[in-house]
Amino acid sequence: MKVELVSQSNMMRTQPMKKQMDVIVRYWSHSRKEIVVHFLSASFFNHAKAVDVACALLDTLNQPDYKIDLGKLLSLSSVGPNVKKVVWKIIDEHLKAEDLHGLLPFIPCSLHVAHSAFHFGLKEYGSEVDQLCLDLFYWFKQSPCKQEDFLEVLQEMELNEKYFIRHVQSRWLTLGPATERVIRHYAAVCDYFLKHLLSKEHVKNNNYHRICACLKDKNTITKFKFVSSLANIFEPFLNYSRPTAPLFIFSMINAVLWLRGCLVDI
C-alpha cells in the first residue's frame, strides 16, 4: 500500500488562504486485479511544518473508519519531487517504534524527473513551439469567421478539415499532439497568416504579429519537428510508468532500452 500526499493552495471559502494536503491511498485489489485509488481526507495548514504534516497524516491513517493496516504501508509519494524528507523520516520512525518494517527509501518520482527534464530542455530550445501552439489555438477559438476563412485555405490545399489542439503549458504531454497538428497544417498556416490576412486589419493585434514573426523564421518548422520527435521519445517511458498493475521499480532492461533509443535518435 502506498500513501500519496497531494499539496495544493486551497481557495475554498470555508478555509481561505490555507495550504491543503489531500491524502490518497493506492493499493493492489485482489478482487479487482488492479491498483485501486481512494481519497481519504484533506488537512489544512497555515505553516505546513514537517511535524504537523506527519501528525496529520498519522491521525488520518489511524482513524478506525478507514481500517488501514499500517503494517502494509510501503511508501510515501507526492505529486512533486520536493516532498519534505523529514515527513518521511517521522513516519518511518513511528512505524519502526510500533515494531513494523518501516517505509521504503524515499526516492523522488521518476515521472516528475522526466517532466522537469523536458520542461527545462524546452526553455533552451523550442520555446517558440510552445508559444505558437498556444497562439494558434486561441486565435481561432470561439471565432467562427476566422475558422471559416482558415477552413477555405485547408480545402484549397486538400488538407483534413481539423483545427488546432489545445496545449496546456503545465502538462507538456499535450505539446506532442499539438505540434503534430501544426506540422500537418504548416503550409496552410503560413498561407493564411502571411497572405490571406494581409488585407485584414490586424495591425494592433500583438498575437498576430507574434505568430507572423514566428512563421517568417525559417527555423520554426525545424524546431517543431524536433520537439515532436522528442515528445515521441518520452511518451513510451511515461506510458510504461502508468500501468494499472503493480510497478514498484522501473524495469532496468526497459530503462536501458529507452536510454539507448534516446541516444540513437539524438
Side-chain angles (χ1 to χ4, degrees):
M1 179 181 65
K2 181 175 71 172
V3 173
E4 181 173 344
L5 309 179
V6 182
S7 300
Q8 57 185 336
S9 297
N10 179 50
M11 301 304 294
M12 298 171 59
R13 293 183 180 178
T14 56
Q15 298 287 344
M17 302 304 294
K18 283 193 175 184
K19 298 178 181 178
Q20 177 178 339
M21 178 187 70
D22 296 336
V23 180
I24 299 173
V25 176
R26 299 172 184 264
Y27 63 93
W28 173 255
S29 173
H30 292 284
S31 59
R32 297 171 60 174
K33 303 299 181 183
E34 64 179 1
I35 293 178
V36 178
V37 181
H38 281 301
F39 168 81
L40 295 185
S41 67
S43 300
F44 302 93
F45 307 93
N46 291 320
H47 295 286
K49 297 180 180 179
V51 176
D52 298 332
V53 173
C55 290
L57 176 58
L58 288 172
D59 289 342
T60 299
L61 297 178
N62 286 322
Q63 289 186 23
D65 294 340
Y66 298 140
K67 298 180 181 180
I68 294 178
D69 183 2
L70 293 182
K72 296 181 180 180
L73 180 59
L74 294 175
S75 64
L76 297 179
S77 66
S78 172
V79 294
N82 297 321
V83 64
K84 292 182 178 179
K85 296 182 180 179
V86 180
V87 175
W88 177 91
K89 183 178 180 181
I90 295 174
I91 302 297
D92 183 63
E93 291 177 350
H94 174 81
L95 294 176
K96 291 179 179 178
E98 298 291 331
D99 294 328
L100 300 176
H101 54 68
L103 298 172
L104 291 174
F106 175 78
I107 302 175
C109 176
S110 58
L111 290 177
H112 285 86
V113 174
H115 278 288
S116 298
F118 190 96
H119 178 71
F120 286 109
L122 195 64
K123 288 183 178 180
E124 296 297 326
Y125 185 83
S127 59
E128 302 89 343
V129 174
D130 182 79
Q131 184 62 52
L132 184 56
C133 286
L134 289 171
D135 289 340
L136 289 176
F137 174 80
Y138 287 107
W139 176 268
F140 294 103
K141 181 183 178 183
Q142 297 180 350
S143 179
C145 295
K146 294 177 181 178
Q147 293 177 9
E148 182 179 354
D149 293 341
F150 184 66
L151 184 60
E152 292 179 358
V153 176
L154 289 176
Q155 291 174 341
E156 290 176 0
M157 296 186 173
E158 298 182 352
L159 296 173
N160 292 333
E161 300 176 0
K162 293 183 178 180
Y163 298 108
F164 298 99
I165 298 175
R166 183 188 177 210
H167 165 51
V168 182
Q169 287 182 301
S170 60
R171 292 184 55 83
W172 66 264
L173 288 172
T174 59
L175 187 58
T179 55
E180 292 177 1
R181 181 66 56 82
V182 174
I183 291 172
R184 288 199 297 268
H185 292 167
Y186 194 78
V189 171
C190 292
D191 185 82
Y192 173 80
F193 283 96
L194 302 181
K195 296 180 180 179
H196 178 77
L197 292 183
L198 286 179
S199 59
K200 308 289 183 178
E201 294 183 0
H202 294 289
V203 179
K204 297 181 180 180
N205 192 312
N206 293 329
N207 190 8
Y208 169 75
H209 289 296
R210 187 166 57 239
I211 292 175
C212 289
C214 193
L215 295 176
K216 291 178 181 178
D217 186 353
K218 296 181 179 179
N219 295 322
T220 298
I221 186 61
T222 302
K223 293 180 180 179
F224 263 87
K225 292 181 178 180
F226 172 78
V227 172
S228 178
S229 64
L230 193 61
N232 291 332
I233 294 175
F234 275 75
E235 186 175 357
F237 168 76
L238 297 175
N239 290 336
Y240 184 87
S241 300
R242 296 179 297 177
T244 57
L247 186 62
F248 297 111
I249 186 170
F250 186 74
S251 169
M252 185 60 67
I253 296 177
N254 285 306
V256 173
L257 293 175
W258 178 75
L259 179 59
R260 186 175 67 179
C262 293
L263 296 176
V264 170
D265 290 336
I266 292 175

